[in-house]
Amino acid sequence: MTEINFAMTSPLTVKIVTPHRLTAADWTRWEQWQQQSPALASPYFRAEFTQAVSKVRDDVEVAVFERDGQTVGFLPFQRGQLNIGKPVGGKLCDFHGCIAPAEFEFDPRQFLASTRLASWDFEHVPAAQTSFVPFSVKRDQAPGLELKDGYQGWCELRREQGSQVVSKTMQKVRKLAREQGDLTLELQCTSEEVFETLLRWKSAQYITSGFSDVFAFAWTRKLIEDLRAPTSGEFGGYMSVLRAGQKVVAICYSLRSRQVMHAWFTAYDQELAAYSPGLVMFLKMTEAWPSVGITRFELGKGDERFKWNLATDSQELMEGSVSRPTFATWLRSSWRTTKAWVET
């Protein structure tokens, strides 16, 4: 493991506050840094996302990094049992890390010492945040679509990259429309019925796949309900729905930050699975996003085939854990070791 020279970062001090204790100047600084850094373009880095999670959970805190009395960075986190730290939003957060100028570096162990956390686990920290490199144990790619040149520009780029995703998906578009009814995409749907359908379909998908049902927890449902109506063109949730005739075929709940849209929850009618309704919907959304100012469509980390068929590029993310020797980390390490032995 690469060693960090602690003396290089010792001038930093770390103050721990709850989000409602941050000042208007703090939030303005947060917004400026998030807007200025391409690595922080994701909506999960927005101040509004941390604020929204803190309204539905009481364990959200923010580490405020200061040097010479000046704030130089923020790191929001959740404090769990045994002082185990998690990103704000937990498994719902597809990007996380420090909100600070691009050149900001610090020793994450100082963050732990100041917060009295036993550890801080991360799965989606951008590789550009080099302070976390020594604690990274795995690297992954998060696929995305570049839409700066609009839908036609994206189509041309995918053709140049050797993909036939557009032509093959258009065959499914025509077949679905011919056999089920004309297709329409509503980019921002406010229907409660559609929202309940999304939750029902997604819950069934989680259970069938053997995963925990995210929506079984009251705070997760409250969070996405609170974010459903964008507060401005800058940030908020978009619930998009694809219909064939009057029938709801697929639904996608996305989160926006300025020109970036991130697909968050997607589900479709399983009875129409043969038509690849999810892929059809993503193609239709890709065509429509530029009309509302979107130049980047993020799909989130994952090896799902459709993501890589659509993606023009990807962002490198790190996974790992910063920890210090405590009873909590010893207990967790012992459990993981035992679990690995049982499963071998």
Side-chain angles (χ1 to χ4, degrees), residues 280-306:
V280 170
M281 180 169 194
F282 272 88
L283 186 69
K284 288 292 187 179
M285 288 191 297
T286 299
E287 183 177 13
W289 287 138
S291 69
V292 292
I294 300 301
T295 61
R296 177 81 186 174
F297 189 20
E298 294 288 355
L299 304 182
K301 188 176 76 173
D303 57 5
E304 293 92 334
R305 184 177 177 182
F306 84 91

Side-chain angles (χ1 to χ4, degrees), residues 161-282:
Q161 293 173 332
S163 173
Q164 297 180 325
V165 65
V166 178
S167 59
K168 289 185 175 181
T169 304
M170 284 304 299
Q171 293 175 8
K172 295 180 180 294
V173 168
R174 290 188 289 269
K175 180 178 175 63
L176 179 58
R178 184 172 62 251
E179 298 180 3
Q180 298 294 329
D182 292 341
L183 302 186
T184 56
L185 176 69
E186 186 178 359
L187 268 185
Q188 180 62 305
C189 176
T190 59
S191 166
E192 288 299 322
E193 182 180 356
V194 171
F195 181 63
E196 293 298 332
T197 299
L198 170 63
L199 299 186
R200 186 174 67 255
W201 283 354
K202 198 64 183 177
S203 291
Q205 179 184 331
Y206 285 132
I207 294 170
T208 301
S209 302
F211 297 114
S212 296
D213 179 7
V214 166
F215 301 117
F217 305 95
W219 74 268
T220 59
R221 178 181 175 126
K222 184 65 167 62
L223 176 64
I224 65 174
E225 283 180 338
D226 290 349
L227 292 176
R228 269 177 64 190
T231 55
S232 67
E234 292 269 303
F235 176 80
Y238 274 69
M239 186 176 69
S240 305
V241 56
L242 178 70
R243 294 182 175 89
Q246 299 300 312
K247 185 179 181 63
V248 174
V249 172
I251 309 167
C252 182
Y253 187 113
S254 303
L255 202 58
R256 178 178 188 165
S257 175
R258 301 183 183 90
Q259 288 77 44
V260 176
M261 192 70 75
H262 186 108
W264 204 5
F265 302 105
T266 304
Y268 58 85
D269 187 341
Q270 292 293 327
E271 294 182 358
L272 300 176
Y275 297 97
S276 300
L279 182 59
V280 170
M281 180 169 194
F282 272 88

